[in-house]
Every structure is written in C-alpha cells, then in structure tokens.
Amino acid sequence: MSRLSTLRIAVGLVLIALGLSALVLFDSWMRLLGGLSPDGHVLSASWLALRTMIVALAIPGIALVGYRSFLRILSRVDLCLQSVSARTFLTAVIGAGALLRLIAVLAIPINLHMDFAAYDDRAWTWAVEGEYSNGIYPTAFWPPGWPFFLSRLYLVFGRVPEAGTFANVLFGAGIVWLTYLLIRAAWGESKARWAAVIVAVLPSQVLFTNVLCSEPLFTFLFLLAIVIVVHPAGVRAPVWRIAIAGIILGLATLTRSLSLLYPLLMIPLFMSEDGSRPARATRWLLLVVVSVGVVVPWCIRNYNELGRFTISTANGHNLYIGNNPMSRMTYHDPDPAMMNVWDPAQEARNDRIGYGLAFDHIVKHPVDFLGRGVLKTAYLLGSDTEALRYEITRAAGDGRTDQYVVLAVLMQGVWFVFILLAGRGALFFLTSGRPRNGPAVMISLTILYWVAIHFVFFGNGRYHFPIVPM
C-alpha cells in the first residue's frame, strides 16, 4: 500500500471517528465549539446544525476508506453517462431535474418566513400599488429583481406564492442546461455531463426550488449571461450577443447586487478569444457599459426616493452583521432596530451607519476580522441543509424536527462528498499543467470571488447555491 493510500485511509478513519463522536460525546463538542460564540450563547438550532455537520463527516470518511471501490462505482456511472448521445442525455437530465423539483414543490407546503415573507409582501405591494414599497414608503432594502418578477406573477395569478416556486422549477431546469453548456466550454463533454447530473439531483439544489428566495432566478440569469458569451466555445462572440449578455448580467445584478463587479472576472473570457486586442477590449467594454446601463436607472430612483445612489440599502446592514464585536459565522443581527425601518431617510441613514460601524470594527480589530472571515467561509462552504431547515423542519414545528435528522445528515454527507470530489478536481486542474482556457480561469476566479465576498460579509449555506454549477 502506498503512502498516499495509507494517508487517505487514516484521514477517512479520523473523519468516521469524529462523526461517531458527535453521536455519543456531543457535550464535549459543545464545550469546545462554544468558544466560537462571542458571548458564549449558541441557539439550539445552531447546535443541531453543527451536530449534523459533524456526524455527516463520517460519510466522506467512508468514501475515503473505500476510495477505490467508490471510484469503480463512479467509473461505471461514467460509462453510462458517456454512452448516449448529447441530445438523449440532455433530455433525460433536464427532465429528471425538472421532475425532482416539481415533486418537491408539490410535496412540501410552502413556508413563508424571514426574507421569503418579505419578498412575498413586497411583491404583492408592488403588484397592487405599482411601486416598490413597504406599504407606506418607497424602499430599496432588498434588491428589486426577485420581488419585481414575483409581482408580475401576482398580477396574473393573484397572491399565490406557489407561482414563484413553480417558476423556480423552470429556473432549476434551465440551470441544469446552462451548467452543461458552461462546463463543456471549460472542460469538455465528459465533465459537462457529470456537472449537469450533480446539479440536477443534488438535494439542496432540488429543495431550494420550494423556497421563495432569489437564488434560483439569480443563478439562472447569472449563468445565462456567461453562457451567451462563451457558447459556442471558441467562436468570437458577436456584438449583439455581448449586448444581450450585458442586459442579462445587469438584471442578475438587480436580483443580487454582489455580481456588480463580475465583468472584471469575465476579462479572461475576452482575452482568450480570437481577434485583435482592441477588438476584444471593445467587446468587454460593451458588456460593462450595457450591464451598468441596466443598473443605473434603479440607482437613480433610489437616490431620488431615499437619498442613496445604490442598488440595495441592505448592504451596509449586512456588512455590519458580519463585522461587529458580537458577529458570528452566519446571520446574527447586532441591532434589530435597524431592521424596523419605515422612513426612507432612516433606511438610507442606517445603510451609511452600517458601513461606518463595520469598517471601524475591521480597522480596529484586524485579527478578529481575519479569524471570523475563516469561520464565515467555513460555514458558507460547509453547511448544506438550509433548504431542509427553511422548509420541512420549520413546517413540522419545534417538537417534530428530530424525525428529519437522518435526512439532514445524509444531505450534509452527500455535500461533503461533493466537496471532496470538487477539491480533488481543483487540485488536478491546478497541478496538471493543462492549458488554462478563458472559461476555466473565469470559473476559478468566480469561486474565489464568491468566497471573498462572504469572507467579508457573512456566511450561510444558502449563499453557495449560485456557485454549485461551477
């Protein structure tokens, strides 16, 4: 047995032992992990999430111990995936993805709370009153893309939140298709088929269909803008296609503002194209100008109505959540009064105050900022049961959540195996010496950008949804 195999098995056994220890010795884990909380107080729901994650470590541990058998199984699946035509494969995988998402929507009652209840409320107000408001004053707290789309559905179907989840079924099927196209442009047909299958069946991707959140719409628009530029691979994108991609990227930014700087990450796509450098630079500038042109009118509206030239007035608040003396790995509001905003001037003022308090904390406590950033990143990439927690366990009530613990552990274990394989693929990509084409470099930069954003703000398993296809 080689040293690498011995190390792999040893790591697998350690992971199995850690997972089992959380079943019988979780009090010790609670004493150890309690120090992660600034005030020593951890909610019971957070302990349940942490325990689920630790127990689930046993699943990638089993995969590492039985790695060769695991790879043989994957090889057999690979033979099946590659044995059919592209048309047959796409029909099957998109159909399967849509069917799984439709089953989730039909089988699970929709549960409106937190941001999702606010999206529903803002969308209905927009449909009835014709403006984005909290019912009294204009607002810009949440980016307008998803509430606006939802409001158009409400105009047709009435206040039926399920209309949004059925739309998510279509977005989910579209995400599977776009994943295939994007990964094929970066790494070829074989990898594209695996990526599409994973996105089609990954439990969290499926269950988020029934959550009234902005992630499915944003991810669909985000991937669509990129694919329009890169597909078909190797062919220089004409001007009209770049303009359409810019419009869609602008709409994605109005859905989630963190994609505002994304054109910078698309530079490798344009630099890898054929043609002269000035021509490539011109097409990239066209993308920037069009995408910014889509966003600017909304920013002007916010300046006129609220006194802030911004996409969303929540960004300062969110930055403060992740950078204050009591900040945690994920959402923990240090000042709930900042959420109870009804006056436009107060909303804009809180946005400014949030930025100021957060930057002040970062400058005065750089070591804490770096340490918390690592924890926020760990939670961003580590947890994958939020969709289950948002919908099924909340709907079941506080006294009936234990029956879903096994399902949560299995979901989390599948995610850990996915991360294990993704890490293996990333290591191979970085050390293989193979040509780094534009789409591959852009995908790598996108993942790093996503991690950096949440390193600064705060982590949540929901927020890694858009980068799973990559």
Side-chain angles (χ1 to χ4, degrees):
M1 183 181 295
S2 68
R3 290 182 179 179
L4 185 60
S5 296
T6 302
L7 177 62
R8 186 187 68 244
I9 292 173
V11 171
L13 291 174
V14 169
L15 291 177
I16 293 172
L18 289 174
L20 294 177
S21 72
L23 288 175
V24 295
L25 300 171
F26 193 62
D27 288 344
S28 300
W29 279 106
M30 292 174 71
R31 287 192 293 271
L32 176 66
L33 298 174
L36 298 177
S37 172
D39 58 2
H41 177 68
V42 181
L43 297 174
S44 58
S46 298
W47 281 131
L48 179 61
L50 284 169
R51 189 173 192 178
T52 298
M53 292 173 67
I54 297 169
V55 173
L57 288 173
I59 295 177
I62 293 170
L64 285 173
V65 171
Y67 191 61
R68 296 191 183 280
S69 299
F70 182 51
L71 286 185
R72 281 196 292 269
I73 293 172
L74 294 182
S75 296
R76 293 192 185 99
V77 176
D78 185 59
L79 287 175
C80 295
L81 291 181
Q82 311 307 328
S83 64
V84 298
S85 67
R87 177 176 295 182
T88 301
F89 169 79
L90 280 176
T91 301
V93 74
I94 294 173
L99 179 60
L100 288 173
R101 286 155 175 79
L102 182 60
I103 291 173
V105 168
L106 293 175
I108 306 171
I110 193 169
N111 190 12
L112 297 179
H113 52 90
M114 303 191 321
D115 291 6
F116 321 129
Y119 285 138
D120 169 67
D121 184 65
R122 299 294 182 271
W124 179 243
T125 302
W126 207 336
V128 172
E129 299 183 359
E131 66 173 354
Y132 191 36
S133 76
N134 55 29
I136 302 176
Y137 297 109
T139 184
F141 191 80
W142 283 274
W146 177 236
F148 176 77
F149 176 81
L150 202 57
S151 72
R152 302 309 94 179
L153 294 179
Y154 286 178
L155 283 175
V156 176
F157 300 104
R159 191 171 187 173
V160 182
E162 288 79 5
T165 60
F166 277 103
N168 284 343
V169 173
L170 300 178
F171 293 138
I175 289 168
V176 173
W177 174 57
L178 293 170
T179 298
Y180 168 82
L181 295 177
L182 177 59
I183 303 305
R184 188 178 68 175
W187 286 295
E189 182 73 21
S190 175
K191 309 297 189 301
R193 293 191 180 194
W194 271 105
V197 168
I198 291 170
V199 172
V201 304
L202 196 68
S204 59
Q205 291 278 309
V206 173
L207 289 180
F208 263 117
T209 307
N210 201 48
V211 182
L212 208 67
C213 60
S214 61
E215 274 73 16
L217 172 61
F218 170 78
T219 305
F220 175 78
L221 293 172
F222 185 58
L223 292 176
L224 180 59
I226 300 169
V227 167
I228 287 174
V229 176
V230 305
H231 184 74
V235 178
R236 186 173 65 184
V239 170
W240 66 266
R241 203 162 74 196
I242 298 298
I244 292 175
I247 293 171
I248 296 172
L249 187 59
L251 295 175
T253 303
L254 289 175
T255 305
R256 293 204 64 188
S257 57
L258 77 171
S259 63
L260 179 64
L261 300 178
Y262 194 75
L264 295 176
L265 303 185
M266 297 184 76
I267 290 176
L269 289 178
F270 291 87
M271 293 301 100
S272 65
E273 289 180 348
D274 298 329
S276 65
R277 183 173 296 180
R280 289 179 290 178
T282 300
R283 289 198 300 278
W284 177 77
L285 285 173
L286 175 64
L287 178 79
V288 173
V289 170
V290 173
S291 62
V292 171
V294 172
V295 173
V296 164
W298 179 253
C299 297
I300 294 174
R301 174 264 187 192
N302 292 337
Y303 181 80
N304 291 333
E305 297 285 359
L306 292 91
R308 291 285 278 174
F309 190 84
T310 183
I311 298 172
S312 166
T313 55
N315 291 332
H317 177 255
N318 289 336
L319 186 64
Y320 180 42
I321 288 173
N323 299 279
N324 70 83
M326 304 304 293
S327 62
R328 290 167 166 78
M329 293 182 290
T330 185
Y331 184 92
H332 177 73
D333 203 335
D335 186 0
M338 292 183 72
M339 289 289 290
N340 297 323
V341 175
W342 293 99
D343 179 82
Q346 182 185 6
E347 186 174 316
R349 183 170 60 251
N350 284 353
D351 189 39
R352 287 191 295 269
I353 291 172
Y355 275 114
L357 292 173
F359 284 129
D360 183 65
H361 178 78
I362 292 171
V363 171
K364 291 181 178 178
H365 305 281
V367 175
D368 179 74
F369 166 70
L370 294 174
R372 290 288 158 190
V374 172
L375 294 176
K376 289 181 281 188
T377 301
Y379 199 75
L380 168 72
L381 299 177
S383 178
D384 198 49
T385 56
E386 274 69 20
L388 179 69
R389 181 163 56 86
Y390 289 152
E391 290 299 292
I392 297 178
T393 57
R394 277 182 179 264
D398 293 339
R400 295 177 51 201
T401 58
D402 288 347
Q403 63 183 299
Y404 299 103
V405 168
V406 173
L407 178 58
V409 169
L410 290 175
M411 279 185 63
Q412 187 64 48
V414 168
W415 174 253
F416 281 150
V417 172
F418 169 75
I419 290 292
L420 184 69
L421 291 172
R424 182 181 184 273
L427 182 63
F428 176 78
F429 172 65
L430 293 172
T431 60
S432 64
R434 296 191 175 190
R436 271 61 163 168
N437 60 36
V441 172
M442 184 230 26
I443 287 171
S444 303
L445 291 175
T446 300
I447 295 172
L448 292 175
Y449 173 72
W450 227 258
V451 170
I453 287 291
H454 293 93
F455 183 99
V456 175
F457 283 80
F458 60 89
N460 187 294
R462 165 187 164 195
Y463 299 148
H464 67 233
F465 183 99
I467 60 170
V468 168
M470 300 189 180

